[in-house]
Amino acid sequence: MLNIRYEKNTAPKPIPGPENPLTFGTIFTDHMFLMNYETGKGWHDPRIVPYADISLDPSAMVFHYGQEMFEGLKAYKAEDGRTLLFRPDKNIERANRSNRRLCIPEIPEEDFLQAIKAIVKTDEAWIPTKPGTSLYIRPFVIATDPFLGVRPSDTYLFIIILSPVGAYYPEGLNPVKIWIEDDYVRAVRGGIGEAKTGGNYVASMAAQVKAHEDGYSQVLWLDGVERKYIEEVGAMNIFFKINGTVVTPMLNGSILPGVTRDSVIQLCKHWGIPVEERKVSVDELLAAAKDGSLEEVWGTGTAAVISPVGHLRFENTVIQIKDGGIGELSQKLYDTVTGIQLGKTEDAFGWSVIVE
Ligand SMILES: *Cc1c(COP(=O)(O)O)cnc(C)c1O
């Protein structure tokens, strides 16, 4: 149990009203959670303080060698006024898996959850209530030793910041166009692809820029060795419905194990839809598109929840999935997951956690 020190923000900012369109990740609340780590001392000095700049030595290791872990989850306001988190235990478990891979000390799970609940409770008034909106929670750890040598840091800072975010698709679900990247790769087995860390994102940016220039919103990555098998999208896992079966690339060590991915697999199985986690080659996909058995494609991730895919491009081939609209199962998954997150749909799996 953490003994969290509170320092109230005496100059609070105006909370955005319902008229504010709230784009992603630009507005931050009045407080943040901080906790330090030092070898020999462990995690200490948990505190909630006014949101402000932090001061670091220019030689702080995170700036040079990227020793950093982050997470992303959301808090929702239910109609009855309860504040709900969606499967925070899964994010916490994954954070510590990332920490182990990145040589960052683990954070005790119950302390992590207590910290999330405490900061969300502090700035609860910032949770927007319009349909599709939520409070995005960004926990992260950075290496802070002032040292230019290469080794794991002896000191760290754990921070949680909060950002009210709008509906990912203000006009409702909107199919995206996806570029299958055949040149750059994001991650390889044995690397850091299955950890949630900034390094994976910087590795993806050149391809993202290229795809944007061609009018595609996201990149779909192929495996780093053969460039033959589908891995995942920039910040989303990917699903295909082929001939009535839901197919998604298996977790092979270079794919990020998404919480939304896991939720979608469980829901589909619950509904009696066959689900296969296996290797999916780009050739299989092109063939399925050609013979009409590729029925739906969607991405899964905390930000957009379910993101229907209308177009895929691979080299010079452009595939339109069915009529380029939203698939029936994609829509049902979106409605069910967001319904559970908002406390409107029966939570048969016990995924919602109340912040009290
Ligand atoms: C966070 C993330 C996802 C989605 O994970 P969720 O837990 O569903 O939000 C997928 N891929 C990458 C690379 C990610 O960083």
Side-chain angles (χ1 to χ4, degrees), residues 212-277:
H212 273 180
E213 283 168 359
D214 262 52
Y216 287 77
S217 65
Q218 308 261 352
V219 172
L220 179 60
W221 297 101
L222 298 181
D223 74 280
V225 180
E226 296 180 73
R227 293 182 212 190
K228 205 170 139 184
Y229 298 100
I230 307 279
E231 298 239 305
E232 61 171 313
V233 188
M236 293 193 294
N237 296 110
I238 189 90
F239 285 79
F240 308 98
K241 185 160 162 266
I242 304 172
N243 227 346
T245 296
V246 168
V247 180
T248 192
M250 64 194 204
L251 300 177
N252 61 354
S254 54
I255 296 175
L256 199 286
V259 177
T260 322
R261 174 187 184 277
D262 181 79
S263 308
V264 160
I265 291 172
Q266 286 196 50
L267 279 171
C268 288
K269 287 182 176 169
H270 183 67
W271 293 332
I273 302 167
V275 180
E276 292 175 4
E277 293 179 68

Side-chain angles (χ1 to χ4, degrees), residues 10 42 68 258:
T10 54
E68 181 262 359

Side-chain angles (χ1 to χ4, degrees), residues 74 76 82-89 113 117 340 347 350-356:
K74 287 173 169 175
Y76 305 84
R82 288 176 307 161
T83 295
L84 302 175
L85 302 173
F86 184 71
R87 309 189 74 190
D89 48 307
L113 184 60
K117 285 181 171 177
I340 295 172
D347 179 18
W351 284 340
S352 282
V353 171
I354 305 169
V355 176
E356 293 169 296

Side-chain angles (χ1 to χ4, degrees), residues 33-92:
F33 174 88
L34 299 177
M35 181 160 72
N36 294 80
Y37 179 91
E38 201 182 312
T39 300
K41 204 169 168 185
W43 288 106
H44 62 276
D45 197 15
R47 56 206 185 272
I48 288 174
V49 295
Y51 187 94
D53 289 356
I54 52 171
S55 168
L56 290 172
D57 193 291
S59 71
M61 290 181 78
V62 63
F63 296 136
H64 307 279
Y65 309 119
Q67 203 189 3
E68 181 262 359
M69 175 285 296
F70 74 91
E71 266 303 326
L73 67 162
K74 287 173 169 175
Y76 305 84
K77 200 50 129 177
E79 261 168 31
D80 59 11
R82 288 176 307 161
T83 295
L84 302 175
L85 302 173
F86 184 71
R87 309 189 74 190
D89 48 307
K90 295 291 284 181
N91 293 89
I92 292 169

